[in-house]
Amino acid sequence: MSRTMYHRGPDDEGYFFDRSLGFGFRRLSIIDLAGGHQPMADAEESVWLVFNGEIYNYQELRAELEHSGHKFRTNSDTEVIIHGYKQWGNDVFNHLNGMFGVAIWDVQKKRLVVARDAMGIKLIYYELADGVLNFGSEIRPVLAAGETRPQVNPVAVNLFLRFRYTPSPLTIFQGIRKLAPGSMLVVENGQCREERWYNFCPEPFAQMPSDRDATEELFQLYRGAVKRHLLADVPVGILLSGGLDSGLLLALMNEHGRDWPAYTIGYGKQFADDELVDAAETSSLLGARHHQVMLDQESFEKALPNIVRFLEEPVAASSVVPMYFVCQRTRQDVKVALIGQGPDELFGGYKRHLGVHYGGVWRGLPGGVQSLAASLVAKLPRNETLKRGVHSLGVADRLQRYQDVFSLVPGETVNGLFRDGVGHVSGLVEYWQSLAPQMEKLDELGGFSLLEIRSSLPDELLMYADKLSMAHSLEARVPYLDRTVVEYAQRLGASFKVRHGERKWLHRRVCEKFLPPQILKRKKRGFAVNVVDDWFNDSATGKIAELLLDSRSLMYSVLQPAPVKKLLDDHQSRRQDNHKLLFSLVMFEQWLRGVCSAG
């Protein structure tokens, strides 16, 4: 099991056994290089722990625990969790500000606790079968522990085709689950239960701060988060796009040093969305050492199967390919890289947030006006996003409305792809329903943002960021998802996020304090989205089309060829823009082929 994750921890390994329990660990040494060996225990060996991630407030927690009488033997953040557990029990996780997948063995109580961090930056997969629990930071060790490879879960495939990722707690494998963000497994007295330890229910400020105060408060929270995320005993760099988020991150890093190494992916001059020029200008303005990584279509097609293998589950986000290559180059120089993920979800940075925010206006229109507008939109060719938006924003039920906004295509379209009713999904995603109490007091945009922070962000964007960085033994850190930042943003009203049609309104005000006009005026490009989508469309008549049209393709064990062929025909004839769903199908087929070739 441990050897399957060598790439996540090439620096050290360790094992611990206590009768029916076994811990295995691979270490990527970041803090306390000499003293952080795992599995780690307290002096009495009453608590043992394996831990993947970083605790950014460990120094403050250590001081607090030492004041309470705890004696430390190392300088690592790992040991803080051990003494924190002895002091607070399972409530230790509420004291931690960081990213983690952690397992704690309480020797005296014969209790095992396995937990995932609040924002879901790190992952925990597990399988409970025949009274045996296997778990790990990836699916590989869980598969290695089993005698047979599990079957594909058709319901998970359905949800993947709808959302481009599989929401927790499901995985693409039948019987293998992933812990939802802020959740834990507790095993004791022969029982295993899954429960949520992070129960923060955002409550809007009783009196919203002034624009000036909110800008200053968010700025100070960002400063504190970046300072904490720079804690390391190894070199640190930044993945730099041409946009505001990573630009602000670099500017804040400059408060703690200069000449940071910055890494950007590029695609050639023929693509308007190439970010190299913008990123190079940002690096020059802010004094970073800029490194360019070039990616072409041939490399994209050649690398896709290997990238899918590292992802372990199919994810149909366009930026998985550039993420893989930029992490590969970054690891040549540094062990830790900061990434600018988060402000879009926290402050309404996507186009869909405009629809969600102003959707109430649409629902307030007379039924006849809605019907007329919807019928006109339905006649537009290749405007599937607009068509979905018009439909979904008119749905009365809040959670169903959010789910429809997330969906790439209508649920009935996805259901129609499957054989003999296999994998059909109706109604709401079960895990999302459990989040309803946490969004009760939030406005429309705040509720939707909470769903993104609890589901699409950790299970799609952060999942592939973790997998593709650790594929190269690189630790990716996400300062904007510091708990202090997220919980503050969730308490702000929608006007701080979208105002007069401007997205990320408050975040932009903070950017104005630090960034020069050249950076502030740039339009949002997206991390390779249009470039990779263009490559896919170019390939839709070649190799990729062959995958979809070949009746021997493995996906047709659960899907029907005819409706898939129709999707491709409608796309090639330009009647519809189906590239997102077609790309999802290609990723699913590539994943299946990788699974079968791996045995």
Side-chain angles (χ1 to χ4, degrees):
M1 292 172 71
S2 176
R3 279 196 296 267
T4 67
M5 295 196 300
Y6 177 86
H7 53 281
R8 295 188 73 91
D11 298 331
D12 192 15
E13 66 179 320
Y15 303 91
F16 166 73
F17 299 93
D18 185 0
R19 286 171 286 190
S20 62
L21 175 127
F23 278 167
F25 186 74
R26 300 294 322 190
R27 185 181 184 208
L28 182 66
S29 304
I30 304 291
I31 291 176
D32 190 8
L33 306 186
H37 178 77
Q38 295 186 45
M40 184 180 289
D42 60 340
E44 299 78 23
E45 296 192 349
S46 65
V47 174
W48 285 86
L49 175 145
V50 284
F51 154 61
N52 171 40
E54 304 291 346
I55 306 303
Y56 301 117
N57 64 335
Y58 80 97
Q59 293 171 330
E60 298 92 327
L61 290 177
R62 176 176 176 141
E64 181 181 348
L65 290 163
E66 286 179 328
H67 185 73
S68 298
H70 292 266
K71 305 295 184 185
F72 284 77
R73 299 187 292 172
T74 74
N75 294 313
S76 71
D77 54 344
T78 306
E79 194 177 5
V80 167
I81 307 176
I82 293 173
H83 290 283
Y85 174 79
K86 294 177 72 172
Q87 181 74 18
W88 301 302
N90 290 351
D91 195 48
V92 61
F93 305 122
N94 281 303
H95 292 260
L96 304 178
N97 184 354
M99 57 181 186
F100 55 84
V102 61
I104 300 171
W105 175 240
D106 188 321
V107 175
Q108 295 170 344
K109 295 181 179 178
K110 296 292 181 283
R111 174 198 291 159
L112 173 69
V113 183
V114 184
R116 185 182 182 191
D117 67 77
M119 302 308 152
I121 302 169
K122 289 297 181 181
L123 293 121
I124 294 284
Y125 293 95
Y126 72 96
E127 182 179 34
L128 180 62
D130 301 323
V132 177
L133 174 69
N134 291 301
F135 61 89
S137 294
E138 295 184 349
I139 297 176
R140 284 179 185 82
V142 179
L143 293 176
E147 295 182 1
T148 59
R149 186 169 293 272
Q151 298 294 311
V152 171
N153 183 346
V155 171
V157 175
N158 188 305
L159 295 176
F160 159 68
L161 293 176
R162 292 182 188 217
F163 306 129
R164 301 196 304 189
Y165 70 97
T166 306
S168 296
L170 297 178
T171 73
I172 203 75
F173 288 109
Q174 196 85 45
I176 297 180
R177 293 163 67 86
K178 55 178 174 272
L179 271 180
S183 295
M184 62 182 174
L185 293 176
V186 181
V187 185
E188 57 185 338
N189 301 322
Q191 301 294 319
C192 179
R193 66 181 187 272
E194 183 176 338
E195 58 186 67
R196 178 176 293 281
W197 65 263
Y198 182 64
N199 292 300
F200 178 69
C201 294
E203 191 165 328
F205 291 108
Q207 182 174 348
M208 288 292 164
S210 66
D211 291 351
R212 182 176 179 178
D213 286 348
T215 303
E216 181 62 24
E217 288 165 3
L218 182 61
F219 166 55
Q220 294 299 340
L221 289 172
Y222 280 170
R223 291 180 85 179
V226 170
K227 182 180 180 180
R228 285 189 288 274
H229 281 68
L230 287 173
L231 284 170
D233 295 330
V234 295
V236 178
I238 180 173
L239 303 189
L240 187 70
S241 72
L244 293 180
D245 300 345
S246 61
L248 177 61
L249 206 52
L250 178 56
L252 291 168
M253 290 169 69
N254 280 343
E255 292 192 323
H256 309 282
R258 299 288 291 186
D259 201 31
W260 297 100
Y263 304 86
T264 308
I265 200 87
Y267 315 95
K269 294 180 180 179
Q270 68 268 40
F271 293 104
D273 274 358
D274 189 295
E275 295 190 301
L276 283 180
V277 174
D278 288 348
E281 184 182 40
T282 298
S283 294
S284 176
L285 290 167
L286 299 177
R289 283 179 285 127
H290 191 229
H291 302 275
Q292 301 181 358
V293 186
M294 295 304 298
L295 175 63
D296 57 27
Q297 185 168 345
E298 182 181 356
S299 300
F300 161 72
E301 292 183 352
K302 187 177 179 181
L304 193 58
N306 195 42
I307 292 170
V308 171
R309 182 173 65 85
F310 273 113
L311 288 173
E312 300 188 295
E313 292 192 84
V315 174
S318 301
S319 46
V320 296
V321 180
M323 175 63 80
Y324 177 84
F325 281 100
V326 76
C327 288
Q328 183 182 60
R329 172 62 186 89
T330 302
R331 183 59 179 88
Q332 294 176 22
D333 304 327
V334 303
K335 262 191 175 181
V336 175
L338 271 56
I339 59 176
Q341 197 71 58
D344 285 318
E345 289 77 12
L346 293 175
F347 292 101
Y350 298 124
K351 290 180 181 178
R352 63 177 177 248
H353 292 122
L354 293 176
V356 171
H357 182 55
Y358 296 112
V361 176
W362 170 259
R363 288 187 293 279
L365 293 174
V369 176
Q370 286 190 34
S371 298
L372 177 61
S375 64
L376 292 173
V377 169
K379 295 176 182 178
L380 295 173
R382 300 181 68 79
N383 273 276
E384 274 55 51
T385 301
L386 182 59
K387 295 172 188 176
R388 289 197 311 274
V390 167
H391 166 75
S392 58
L393 294 175
V395 175
D397 180 79
R398 187 183 197 183
L399 269 176
Q400 185 65 56
R401 182 163 65 246
Y402 291 167
Q403 182 168 310
D404 288 353
V405 171
F406 266 119
S407 300
L408 296 180
V409 290
E412 56 269 22
T413 300
V414 176
N415 284 342
L417 297 175
F418 285 78
R419 290 182 175 275
D420 307 321
V422 172
H424 280 205
V425 173
S426 60
L428 292 167
V429 175
E430 183 179 350
Y431 168 61
W432 291 0
Q433 293 181 64
S434 70
L435 297 173
Q438 295 190 25
M439 60 180 71
E440 275 183 2
K441 297 181 179 180
L442 298 178
D443 55 41
E444 178 78 357
L445 186 57
F448 185 78
S449 175
L450 185 141
L451 194 58
E452 288 179 300
I453 293 165
R454 298 282 190 273
S455 186
S456 67
L457 185 56
D459 288 341
E460 179 191 10
L461 302 174
L462 296 177
M463 184 274 256
Y464 74 69
D466 175 72
K467 296 280 184 69
L468 298 178
S469 59
M470 294 300 277
H472 305 292
S473 307
L474 175 74
E475 179 175 277
R477 295 183 179 180
V478 199
Y480 290 126
L481 295 181
D482 190 274
R483 274 181 66 174
T484 62
V485 173
V486 175
E487 292 175 2
Y488 179 78
Q490 288 184 302
R491 299 187 66 191
L492 293 172
S495 66
F496 288 99
K497 301 164 186 177
V498 175
R499 186 177 295 189
H500 306 309
E502 182 183 11
R503 292 171 278 163
K504 294 201 289 192
W505 185 87
L506 182 62
H507 178 71
R508 289 177 180 275
R509 303 292 79 77
V510 176
C511 290
E512 287 172 352
K513 295 173 70 74
F514 254 95
L515 298 178
Q518 299 98 304
I519 300 176
L520 293 169
K521 289 186 294 186
R522 292 176 192 154
K523 68 172 185 174
K524 181 178 178 64
R525 295 188 188 275
F527 191 39
V529 172
N530 293 333
V531 175
V532 178
D533 286 347
D534 284 347
W535 284 347
F536 173 80
N537 285 329
D538 289 343
S539 302
T541 56
K543 295 178 183 177
I544 287 175
E546 291 174 12
L547 290 178
L548 300 174
L549 294 174
D550 187 349
S551 60
R552 296 167 297 177
S553 287
L554 300 177
M555 73 175 89
Y556 295 125
S557 62
V558 291
L559 304 179
Q560 302 180 81
V564 173
K565 183 178 184 300
K566 186 176 188 309
L567 286 173
L568 184 62
D569 288 344
D570 288 344
H571 182 77
Q572 292 177 335
S573 67
R574 306 189 67 79
R575 287 191 296 272
Q576 291 182 329
D577 181 3
N578 294 326
H579 80 270
K580 289 183 178 180
L581 182 52
L582 292 172
F583 187 49
S584 297
L585 289 165
V586 168
M587 292 296 276
F588 178 46
E589 178 64 22
Q590 291 279 18
W591 176 81
L592 284 169
R593 294 185 180 195
V595 166
C596 289
S597 65

